[in-house]
Amino acid sequence: MKKKTKATAPGGAKRRKNVMAERKAAPQRVTLAPSPRLSVRSNDARLAIRRLRTQLAQALARIEELRASADTDFLLDIPNRRGFERELNRSIAYIKRYHASGALIVLDVDRLKPINDAFGHAAGDEVLKAIVAVLLRHVRSSDVVGRLGGDEFALLLWNLSETDARAKAASLEEAVDRLAFVFRGRTVTAGASAGVAILGPHAEAGWALEEADRAMYVRKAQRRHEA
């Protein structure tokens, strides 16, 4: 007896074969659970990057501290010669570009060496600190007071005419002259002589310092004759 075969639509077997072939050829989507080992490594890398960033920020901050200390007088906490000359060059560049004006005053303490010789350098340091306090009280926050070295100071003053600058130099001399110090029961004074250079569109830092320094020595000689 012959077996009955199920009737199929024309082409049905061929379509089934094509579907099966497409299923085999299509890429299978596989969802992988995250590996615990990979997650740990990723966290470690992020922590390492954070540590490196923190160390870099600390190193940059330290560099800025060292740079600032290289430009600052350690005793008086004002710019040293290097720091002041840097500010002077920047200021002159600004004056030239924007047609501003300013003045440079060089001030020298008159009798610091005798005080050091008689009472020691600690006494001389106290005199210098008191003089710097006076200078800072007599200038604006935009002005700059620096120590060129030893007992010589420089002041960078903005927007002053020559007349005003010379009047300011005279008032600084008077303020320092009024200071009195008592060491070992003796009252002593220091005094100061100041010279001025005007900063205009043709100013140069080295030239301005030399001019103010020469004017200061002329003034020092005048004060000796007046005494």
Side-chain angles (χ1 to χ4, degrees):
M1 186 173 182
K2 293 183 180 179
K3 292 182 179 181
K4 294 182 179 180
T5 59
K6 189 175 181 180
T8 58
K14 185 175 181 180
R15 280 197 297 272
R16 283 197 296 274
K17 288 181 181 179
N18 290 339
V19 170
M20 294 300 295
E22 288 175 359
R23 287 178 180 176
K24 290 180 180 180
Q28 300 297 312
R29 294 182 179 179
V30 179
T31 303
L32 296 177
S35 169
R37 182 176 298 177
L38 289 176
S39 179
V40 170
R41 288 180 180 177
S42 178
N43 288 334
D44 289 344
R46 283 195 291 267
L47 290 174
I49 291 173
R50 288 176 185 171
R51 283 196 297 268
L52 289 173
R53 287 176 176 170
T54 300
Q55 292 171 359
L56 177 60
Q58 292 172 344
L60 291 175
R62 181 56 180 160
I63 290 172
E64 287 301 318
E65 289 177 3
L66 292 173
R67 184 176 298 166
S69 65
D71 290 344
T72 303
D73 185 272
F74 72 94
L75 174 66
L76 304 175
D77 196 28
I78 59 175
N80 56 19
R81 175 179 283 273
R82 169 178 164 156
F84 185 84
E85 288 182 350
R86 186 192 302 276
E87 291 299 321
L88 180 60
N89 279 299
R90 288 176 180 171
S91 300
I92 288 177
Y94 180 92
I95 287 170
K96 290 180 176 181
R97 181 171 182 178
Y98 296 104
H99 305 287
S101 62
L104 173 66
I105 297 177
V106 170
L107 182 143
D108 188 80
V109 182
D110 287 335
R111 294 179 292 277
L112 185 64
K113 187 177 184 305
I115 293 174
N116 283 332
D117 293 342
F119 305 105
H121 286 277
D125 290 347
E126 291 303 313
V127 171
L128 292 175
K129 290 177 182 178
I131 290 174
V132 168
V134 166
L135 298 179
L136 291 174
R137 284 199 300 269
H138 281 75
V139 300
R140 299 157 296 185
S141 59
S142 58
D143 299 328
V144 181
V145 177
R147 185 184 186 185
L148 298 182
D151 54 1
E152 191 171 65
F153 298 90
L155 298 90
L156 174 61
L157 310 175
W158 285 98
N159 300 322
L160 288 182
S161 66
E162 184 173 356
T163 300
D164 291 337
R166 297 191 185 284
K168 173 61 73 173
S171 69
L172 293 174
E173 288 181 348
E174 292 174 4
V176 175
D177 287 345
R178 286 195 298 268
L179 290 175
F181 306 89
V182 178
F183 300 119
R184 300 176 193 168
R186 289 176 53 188
T187 300
V188 296
T189 59
S193 302
V196 177
I198 302 303
L199 304 176
H202 303 294
E204 297 293 339
W207 167 85
L209 283 168
E210 290 176 3
E211 182 180 9
D213 200 53
R214 284 194 298 268
M216 179 271 293
Y217 278 108
V218 170
R219 178 60 179 154
K220 187 179 286 287
Q222 291 174 349
R223 284 169 61 87
R224 286 200 195 101
H225 288 108
E226 293 170 358

